[in-house]
């Protein structure tokens, strides 16, 4: 047999041979095809690898070029990617259902059921978009909202919203009817409404998917989600969903307001310098109060009330007035400490600081639980890794 040629089908090679005597031609493949094996075919393994590390065809081409290996064409990559995407999508939904079973069993063990015997659980929810807004431009074309069980830390639902399809867009620009295709566009409203709509969809489908109700929601300060849930009432008027604010978001927002106050030139420079130098003490005072009050052996309502008083007093503590400080909070004035409260009040700075602290006081019931939505932030970072910062169809990449 003489070697005649080699045909590349992605990373799969077909070697063509010809017999010297009878002229019969035969093909020898670099791997078995058409038979069930324990391993993924080379092309599917390569595309699956690109998905796992968050790269695309361009990066794969550069990598194989450095190894002097011919790369698969973009067409082959897209075809295999479409096949892999269905498998990943189906596996993801199967894992979500398994997570729902775990969350339901834990809720039953804890005795958290409604009047109909349906288990109820606490979830963490958050949303993200395919591009940053920088608090000025909210025009992302894709967004995703994720719901994760608080006990299991596993994903229970993912809601994806797309308001762009390249095939539909090209056809519309030419006043033509789009060709038959798998369209991912499922949203025609503003980008700011994607998160709320995705979270609400997860709540609406929780009983159908998991035979589970989400009665408590841990999230950031986005009021649109809470407002949407109150409008829809996914479990009827008798089951109100309790919103628990993320501790980290509340404290970060508070620190940002304190920093903004310190930058205002209308206040005395020595007060502004003091706040800049002691910015973390404002946060530390609140954190210290949360840690102490949540471990106190007293009724929850009393814990919330005492926490609110300590938080309200924390700016006075930082500025040097300790008349209302609890014994665990501090030991009173030091010899060299100056009381700046009167100067801050006379300049109007104290009023702004107390306006900022009032939001924390109003959320004392959330702060006493001392929880955050970090698990959702971590999941969002995984999504960011897969989409690679590219302006592409989020559904197509995530599936």
């Amino acid at each position: 047999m003489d070697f005649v040629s080699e045909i590349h089908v992605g990373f799969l090679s077909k070697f063509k041979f010809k017999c010297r005597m009878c002229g019969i031609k035969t093909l020898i493949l670099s791997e078995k095809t058409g038979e069930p094996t324990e391993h993924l075919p080379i092309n599917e393994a390569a595309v699956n690898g690109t998905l796992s590390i968050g790269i695309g065809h361009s990066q794969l081409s550069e990598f194989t070029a450095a190894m002097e290996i011919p790369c698969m064409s973009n067409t082959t990559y897209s075809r295999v990617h479409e096949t892999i995407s269905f498998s990943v999508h189906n596996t993801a939904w199967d894992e979500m259902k398994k997570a729902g079973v775990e969350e339901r069993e834990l809720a039953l063990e804890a005795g958290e059921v409604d009047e109909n015997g349906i288990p109820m659980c606490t979830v963490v929810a958050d949303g993200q978009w395919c591009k940053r807004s920088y608090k000025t431009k909210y025009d992302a074309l894709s967004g995703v909202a994720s719901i994760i069980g608080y006990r299991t830390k596993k994903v229970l639902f993912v809601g994806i919203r797309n308001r762009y399809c390249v095939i539909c867009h090209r056809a519309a620009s030419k006043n033509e009817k789009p060709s038959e295709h798998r369209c991912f566009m499922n949203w025609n409203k503003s980008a700011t409404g994607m998160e709320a709509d995705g979270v609400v969809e997860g709540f609406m489908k929780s009983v159908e998917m998991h035979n589970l109700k989400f009665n408590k929601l841990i999230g950031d300060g986005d009021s649109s989600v809470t407002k949407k849930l109150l409008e829809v009432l996914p479990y009827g008027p008798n089951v109100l969903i309790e919103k628990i604010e993320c501790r980290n978001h509340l404290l970060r927002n508070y620190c940002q307001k304190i920093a903004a106050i310190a930058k205002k030139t209308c206040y005395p420079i020595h007060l502004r310098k003091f706040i800049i130098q002691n910015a973390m003490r404002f946060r530390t005072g609140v954190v210290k109060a949360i840690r102490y009050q949540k471990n106190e052996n007293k009724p929850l309502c009393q814990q919330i009330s005492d926490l609110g008083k300590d938080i309200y007093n924390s700016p006075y503590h930082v500025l040097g007035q300790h008349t209302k400080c609890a014994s665990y909070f501090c030991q009173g004035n030091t010899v060299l400490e100056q009381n700046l409260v009167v100067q801050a009040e006379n300049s109007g700075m104290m009023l702004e600081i107390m306006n900022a602290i009032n939001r924390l006081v109003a959320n004392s019931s959330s702060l006493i639980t001392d929880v955050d939505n970090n698990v959702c932030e971590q999941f969002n970072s995984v999504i960011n890794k897969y989409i690679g910062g590219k302006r592409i169809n989020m559904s197509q990449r995530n599936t």
Side-chain angles (χ1 to χ4, degrees):
M1 303 291 287
D2 288 331
F3 173 74
V4 178
S5 62
E6 179 184 1
I7 302 172
H8 294 288
V9 182
F11 292 108
L12 172 69
S13 290
K14 297 181 179 180
F15 302 101
K16 190 175 182 180
F17 290 89
K18 182 178 180 180
C19 180
R20 296 176 182 174
M21 297 178 62
C22 62
I24 292 178
K25 297 178 181 180
T26 186
L27 287 176
I28 299 177
L29 276 61
S30 58
E31 67 176 9
K32 293 182 179 180
T33 60
E35 298 180 8
T37 60
E38 297 179 356
H39 307 286
L40 278 175
I42 183 64
N43 288 332
E44 294 184 13
V47 175
N48 189 52
T50 63
L51 294 177
S52 299
I53 59 178
I55 65 173
H57 179 261
S58 298
Q59 292 87 347
L60 178 63
S61 298
E62 294 177 11
F63 179 71
T64 54
M67 300 175 65
E68 297 186 358
I69 298 175
C71 185
M72 64 174 64
S73 66
N74 191 26
T75 303
T76 303
Y77 181 90
S78 299
R79 175 174 53 79
V80 178
H81 182 281
E82 186 73 13
T83 303
I84 289 288
S85 68
F86 283 106
S87 300
V88 175
H89 180 272
N90 295 334
T91 302
W93 281 108
D94 290 340
E95 290 299 315
M96 290 182 202
K97 291 178 181 178
K98 292 178 183 178
V101 173
E102 291 184 40
E103 200 74 39
R104 186 169 64 251
E105 290 176 352
L106 292 173
L108 290 172
E109 290 177 7
E112 297 181 1
V113 295
D114 67 357
E115 57 185 9
N116 298 320
I118 299 177
M120 300 186 296
C121 71
T122 303
V123 295
V124 188
D126 196 16
Q128 72 155 353
W129 292 261
C130 63
K131 61 175 287 190
R132 288 184 178 274
S133 65
Y134 299 101
K135 297 184 178 180
T136 56
K137 200 172 184 180
Y138 301 91
D139 60 349
L141 299 178
S142 297
V144 57
S146 51
I147 299 177
I148 299 177
Y150 178 69
R151 288 192 178 96
T152 61
K153 304 295 187 292
K154 295 182 179 180
V155 181
L156 297 174
F157 183 80
V158 175
I160 300 170
R161 298 292 179 271
N162 290 301
R163 56 176 189 165
Y164 179 81
C165 172
V166 63
I167 297 177
C168 294
H169 179 75
R170 288 174 179 171
S173 64
K174 299 178 181 178
N175 293 323
E176 299 176 355
K177 185 178 179 180
S179 59
E180 186 176 348
H181 66 288
R182 185 184 177 196
C183 184
F184 293 99
M185 188 166 63
N186 58 3
W187 186 253
N188 57 7
K189 300 178 183 178
S190 67
T192 55
M194 292 178 178
E195 178 183 0
D197 193 73
V199 172
V200 169
E201 182 188 6
F203 275 74
M204 296 292 290
K205 292 183 176 180
S206 67
V207 177
E208 174 189 346
M209 285 183 62
H210 308 297
N211 193 26
L212 196 63
K213 290 182 179 179
F214 307 150
N215 66 325
K216 293 181 182 180
L217 170 64
I218 301 171
D220 54 22
D222 189 358
S223 60
S224 63
V225 175
T226 307
K227 180 181 177 183
K228 189 80 172 178
L229 288 171
L230 289 174
E231 291 176 354
V232 175
L233 294 174
Y235 309 125
N238 296 327
V239 180
L240 296 180
I241 299 161
E242 179 184 351
K243 175 68 180 297
I244 303 175
E245 297 290 342
C246 168
R247 175 200 62 233
N248 291 346
H249 280 82
L250 288 173
L251 292 176
R252 184 176 63 185
N253 182 265
Y254 175 52
C255 291
Q256 288 175 346
K257 289 182 178 179
I258 294 296
I261 293 171
K263 293 179 181 178
K264 293 188 176 181
T265 56
C266 59
Y267 299 127
I269 190 168
H270 69 281
L271 288 178
R272 292 163 52 205
K273 285 184 177 180
F274 178 85
I275 290 181
I276 292 173
Q277 294 170 358
N278 296 273
M280 285 307 298
R281 291 183 62 197
F282 286 90
R283 179 189 175 106
T284 303
V286 177
V287 172
K288 189 175 180 180
I290 294 171
R291 290 176 180 172
Y292 178 82
Q293 294 296 347
K294 76 172 186 176
N295 293 321
E296 283 289 277
N297 187 19
K298 50 189 174 184
L300 179 60
C301 58
Q302 187 64 42
Q303 288 180 328
I304 295 172
S305 176
D306 292 346
L307 176 60
K309 293 176 183 178
D310 288 345
I311 292 175
Y312 190 83
N313 180 67
S314 61
Y316 291 93
H317 165 78
V318 176
L319 293 171
Q321 181 173 303
H322 307 284
T323 55
K324 295 184 180 180
C325 289
S327 59
Y328 79 90
F329 209 82
C330 74
Q331 303 302 320
N333 291 38
T334 61
V335 177
L336 300 177
E337 188 175 16
Q338 183 182 4
N339 189 341
L340 300 175
V341 172
V342 176
Q343 298 179 42
E345 289 177 342
N346 293 337
S347 64
M349 178 183 281
M350 197 65 187
L351 179 61
E352 278 208 66
I353 294 175
M354 297 314 295
N355 286 338
I357 203 71
N358 282 336
R359 184 165 187 266
L360 293 182
V361 176
N363 285 283
S364 296
S365 58
S366 292
L367 290 172
I368 201 68
T369 60
D370 198 21
V371 294
D372 55 57
N373 70 338
N374 286 350
V375 63
C376 265
E377 299 287 355
Q378 293 166 1
F379 180 65
N380 288 343
S381 70
V382 175
I383 295 177
N384 287 329
K385 170 185 169 183
Y386 287 144
I387 66 174
K390 305 177 183 68
R391 292 187 182 182
I392 52 181
N393 190 300
M394 185 174 284
S395 291
Q396 195 169 12
R397 290 290 295 186
N398 283 346
T399 55

